[in-house]
Amino acid sequence: MATLLNLSDSNRSVLSDQSVSSRISNRSLRIAEKERRKNEADDPFVLALKYFSEVEAGTPVIGNDELENHLVQVENVAFSKGLSPEALSVMLEFAMSLRMGSSPCARVLKCLLPASVVPQEAVVRAVVWLTVGKIPISTQVLFVKWVLTVFDMIDAKDKLRAIYGFIFSFVTNENLCPFICHLLYLLTRKESVRVFRVRKLLELQAKMGRQPYLLHLLSLYKVFCPELVTLSIPSRMRSGFKNHISPWKSALIGVQKRNGLQIASSISLAFAVKDKTASRKRKHGHLELPALSAVTNKEPQAAQDSSRKLVPLVQIQSFTQLLENMHRIELPAQMGSLLGSSLALQYLDCVQDESALLRLNFWLGYALHEEFLFCSDGGANKDPEEALQFLNRLLSAQHFLQEGFPSSDAFLYKFLNVWDGSLLRPQILGLLSNIPVIPSSQIGTLLFEPLMQLFFTSSLFFKCGLIECLNHMLLKWLTWHSVYALEDDLDISLNSHTSVNITLSGFKDSVMELVHFVGRLASVGLQLEGCHALLLSFILDFYETVCDTFLKFGLPLVVMPPPGVFYPAFFATDPVNVDRLAFIMHRYKVNLTSAKSQEKVTEQAFHISRQTFREFNSYQVFMVNCLWNSNMCYPETDALLSEELLEKSGVPQYRTCFDLIHHPALMSYALDFHQKCWPGRKDIDLNSIKQSKPWSWYLEYLFTQGFEGLKDFLQNNISRRVMAGDATQMHEFDSAQKKTQPLVS
C-alpha cells in the first residue's frame, strides 16, 4: 500500500511538471505571435497589401499619394524577392476588379512576379473578371500574357481546365485570339476537343486566313480526334507560337536566381525579350536542361478513384515502377527535363503520348532557334561548353529513341544555310545523320545545296566527316525501310510521330538522289584533295552500304558508283582501298545476279535498267583485264588511251602496269613473295611469278595477307581451272567470254 502511494505521488509530480512546462511553452508562443503581429503591423509591405485588399471601389487615383506609396512598396518587394501566393492573390484581385479604375491595372500586372507558385484560384477569379468588369482590351492582352508566362508555376490546372469552354469563348476577340489559342494549346486534353469548337476555329480561319496560332491549335485537336478535324495540316509549320514581348521574363529570372530556385525552362521559353537595340544579343538561357520535377510543389493528391491517382514522373525510380504506373504518369511542367532522364525517354517511347511529344518539340524547337539561329555570334560562342553538353544530351536522347525530333530537323534545315562547318561539327553532323527520309522534290533545297557549298569550301577532315554522316543517314533510312516497310509496299510512315506518308517509289527516289549526290561530292572531292587515301576510305564505306541495298536491306534498287570514284579507287596506291573496291564489285555482282534471278521467277521483282548493267559490266571487265589479263588497254573500257600516247610516256610494258603483280598497291607484296620464293637470286624478275606453280603460290600468299575482297572478286569472276593454270597463257583467253561472263540486262 505504501508503495502504491509513493507511485501516485510520483505521477502527480510528473504531471505537475509537464503542466508547468506546457504553460511556459504556450506563453512563449503567445509572446512570439504578438511580436510577429507587431512587426507585421509596422511592415510597410503588409500595410500595402492590407490597403489593396480593403480599398473601396471608386477611390480616386489622381493625387492619391497613399496609393502611390503602397504601390511602390509592392513593386520593390516584387522585383527584389517576388510575391508570395497570398500577395499575388490580393494584387491580382485588386487589378482585375478595377476598384480604382483601369489606370493602375497595367502597372500592377507588370509587378506580379511570383516567388514560388501562383494560386490557381486567383487565376480563375481573374479570368472571370474579364467579362464582369470593363477592362480595356490592352489590359486583357497583358493579363493573358502574364498567365502564359507563369503557366508552369500555377500550382494546379484542374480548375482552369474546368472553365476551358469559358476561356475558349474569347477566341472570337481578334486581339486576344493569338494568346487565347496559346493558352488553350497548353490546357487542351482529349475531352476538350468538341465538334462545335473545331467548327468555330475553322470559321475563324476562313475569316482571318491560315494564321499559325489557329493551325497549331487545330493540329493538336487533330492529334486527339483526327476524325473531327479533316483539315490538311502542313507537315512543316513554324515551331510553336509567335514570341511576344514579355515585361516579366528578365525580372522573373532575376528573382528566382536570388531566391536560389530552379529557373522554369518554360518561363524562359514562353516569350522572348525583344530589345530593338540588341535583339540579336541574347544570353544563353535555354541550353541548360531543367531538373526533372513534379508539376507542382504539392504532394500528389488522389482523385475520386484512388486507382486513377496520378504519379509524378519524378517519383519513378525504376523501370518496374514505370511499367506499373504507365497509364497514371503525370508529366513534368518543364518538358525539357525529359531529355535528361532515361526513364522519361522510356515512357515517351512506350506510350507515344502525342501531347507530350508536341510540348517537347515546342520547347526544343524554341531553344535551338533562339540559341543558334537568332544570335549575332552564331550561337554557342559565349558558352561553348554549355552548348556542347546540350547537343550531346539531345543526340543521346535521339539515339535512345532511335529517331530524331521534328523540331531539330526543322532547325537543321535553317541552320545549314548559316553554318560555317566548324562550330560544334561532330554534334551538328550527328543530328544531321538522324534526319528522316526527305521527299526527293525537297531534298535538294533543304540538304544538298547548303551541304555542297560547305563541302567544296571546307577542309579534308570536314569532307570525310560529311561523307561519314551521309553514310549513317543512308544506313538509318535503309534500316528503317527493312524494319517498318509494309508488306504491300504501298504506304510507308516516315516516323512514328508524324502522319506524313511516302510511297515506296518515293522512298526509292529519295535514296537514289542521296546516292547520286554523294557520288558527285566524292568525284569532285577526290580531285580537289588529290585522291587522298583517307577521303577515299570514307567514300568506299558509303559504297559498301550502297552495294548491298537489295540483299541486305530489301530495297529494290541498285546504283553504281560514278567513274570519278571507281577509277581513283582502282588506281590507288593503298592496297586496303583496292581490296575494298574488289569486295564492293563482288557484292554488286551478287546483288544484281540475285535481283535478275528473282525477276525471272517472281512477279513482284523490280526492273533493273540497262544502263546499270552496262556500267557494272564495264567496271568488271576493266578490273579483270587489268588485274588478271595484264591488259589495261582493253578496247571496250571507258579509260581507253591511245597507243601512241602510252608509248610516248616511256613506261615499259605499260599494258601490265596494273596486274596483280605490278599494281602499285600490290608490288610490295610481289617483291616480298619473290624474295621468299627465290632467296638466292640477286636480280629481280617479277615476271617469273607468272609461271604455273609460283603463280598459284602467289595467289595463296595474297589471300593470306587479308585480301578477302580480292579473293571473293577473283573466285567469283575467274574459273578455278584458269586460276590454277599457267599464268603465261592467260593472254590467250578473252576475259569477257572465257573467264568472266558479264551480266546481260
Side-chain angles (χ1 to χ4, degrees), residues 719-733:
S719 66
R720 293 184 179 182
R721 179 181 60 82
V722 175
M723 289 187 66
D726 189 349
T728 59
Q729 300 177 358
M730 289 180 202
H731 299 294
E732 299 176 3
F733 295 90

Side-chain angles (χ1 to χ4, degrees), residues 455 460 463-464 467 522-523 525-527 529-544 561-581 584:
F455 185 85
L460 168 68
K463 292 181 175 68
C464 295
I467 296 295
S523 300
L526 288 172
Q527 296 180 39
E529 301 297 338
C531 297
H532 198 284
L534 182 62
L535 178 59
L536 182 58
S537 176
F538 282 97
I539 293 171
L540 293 179
D541 282 340
F542 180 82
Y543 281 100
E544 282 185 1
V565 171
F566 173 81
Y567 290 109
F570 179 79
F571 293 128
T573 58
D574 179 11
V576 175
N577 286 333
V578 175
D579 180 69
R580 294 179 66 188
L581 176 65
I584 290 171

Side-chain angles (χ1 to χ4, degrees), residues 316-326 342-347 349-350 400:
I316 303 297
Q317 302 297 326
S318 66
F319 186 69
T320 303
Q321 293 181 353
L322 180 66
L323 292 177
E324 293 173 351
N325 301 280
M326 184 66 72
S342 59
L343 286 173
L345 294 175
Q346 287 276 14
Y347 171 79
D349 195 34
C350 294
F400 185 89

Side-chain angles (χ1 to χ4, degrees), residues 268-431:
S268 302
L269 299 180
F271 299 101
V273 178
K274 293 189 178 181
D275 183 3
K276 292 183 179 180
T277 59
S279 61
R280 300 298 184 187
K281 299 180 180 178
R282 303 178 184 180
K283 296 182 179 179
H284 301 279
H286 316 306
L287 295 183
E288 184 177 355
L289 294 182
L292 191 66
S293 59
V295 173
T296 69
N297 296 328
K298 297 181 178 181
E299 293 296 325
Q301 299 178 355
Q304 296 178 355
D305 183 4
S306 59
S307 63
R308 297 293 299 168
K309 182 177 66 175
L310 295 179
V311 180
L313 189 57
V314 67
Q315 296 181 7
I316 303 297
Q317 302 297 326
S318 66
F319 186 69
T320 303
Q321 293 181 353
L322 180 66
L323 292 177
E324 293 173 351
N325 301 280
M326 184 66 72
H327 299 292
R328 298 190 291 121
I329 294 295
E330 180 187 50
L331 292 173
Q334 304 173 30
M335 294 303 293
S337 61
L338 296 181
L339 296 179
S341 169
S342 59
L343 286 173
L345 294 175
Q346 287 276 14
Y347 171 79
L348 286 179
D349 195 34
C350 294
V351 177
Q352 297 291 307
D353 188 339
E354 294 291 347
S355 62
L357 289 167
L358 283 170
R359 290 177 59 197
L360 180 57
N361 271 297
F362 171 68
W363 177 89
L364 182 60
Y366 187 93
L368 290 170
H369 281 73
E370 289 294 305
E371 297 302 327
F372 294 94
L373 280 176
F374 299 153
C375 292
S376 59
D377 57 2
N381 286 336
K382 292 182 179 180
D383 194 353
E385 186 63 29
E386 184 182 19
L388 180 66
Q389 293 178 2
F390 176 82
L391 292 181
N392 283 337
R393 185 60 62 89
L394 176 58
L395 274 172
S396 177
Q398 291 190 355
H399 292 161
F400 185 89
L401 297 172
Q402 294 296 304
E403 60 184 340
F405 296 100
S407 54
S408 66
D409 300 338
F411 156 74
L412 283 173
Y413 299 144
K414 299 177 183 178
F415 185 69
L416 289 177
N417 292 291
V418 298
W419 187 37
D420 61 0
S422 61
L423 177 67
L424 300 169
R425 180 193 304 163
Q427 288 71 32
I428 298 300
L429 291 179
L431 292 175

Side-chain angles (χ1 to χ4, degrees), residues 82-215:
L83 299 179
S84 65
E86 296 78 11
L88 280 172
S89 299
V90 170
M91 298 307 298
L92 189 58
E93 178 74 12
F94 167 77
M96 301 302 291
S97 62
L98 299 181
R99 292 181 199 165
M100 300 181 71
S102 59
S103 54
C105 187
R107 183 176 173 184
V108 172
L109 286 175
K110 290 180 180 179
C111 71
L112 296 182
L113 302 174
S116 55
V117 297
V118 178
Q120 177 184 215
E121 290 78 5
V123 178
V124 172
R125 284 182 59 85
V127 172
V128 175
W129 276 114
L130 287 178
T131 56
V132 174
K134 298 180 180 180
I135 303 176
I137 190 63
S138 59
T139 305
Q140 295 182 35
V141 170
L142 189 64
F143 166 71
V144 180
K145 284 185 178 182
W146 176 79
V147 175
L148 291 171
T149 304
V150 301
F151 183 82
D152 283 333
M153 301 183 73
I154 300 175
D155 56 5
K157 311 292 192 307
D158 54 335
K159 294 181 180 178
L160 276 173
R161 293 193 174 98
I163 60 170
Y164 186 94
F166 181 77
I167 298 174
F168 186 88
S169 65
F170 290 97
V171 296
T172 55
N173 188 308
E174 188 172 347
N175 295 306
L176 281 176
C177 187
F179 312 100
I180 292 296
C181 285
H182 192 172
L183 182 57
L184 292 172
Y185 187 93
L186 298 174
L187 293 173
T188 298
R189 292 295 181 266
K190 186 172 183 178
E191 56 271 17
S192 308
V193 183
R194 294 290 183 267
V195 176
F196 68 91
R197 290 174 184 155
V198 174
R199 188 180 299 117
K200 174 59 69 174
L201 291 177
L202 293 176
E203 290 176 0
L204 288 173
Q205 182 177 254
K207 176 183 176 182
M208 304 167 62
R210 294 172 68 88
Q211 299 297 331
Y213 45 87
L214 293 174
L215 286 174

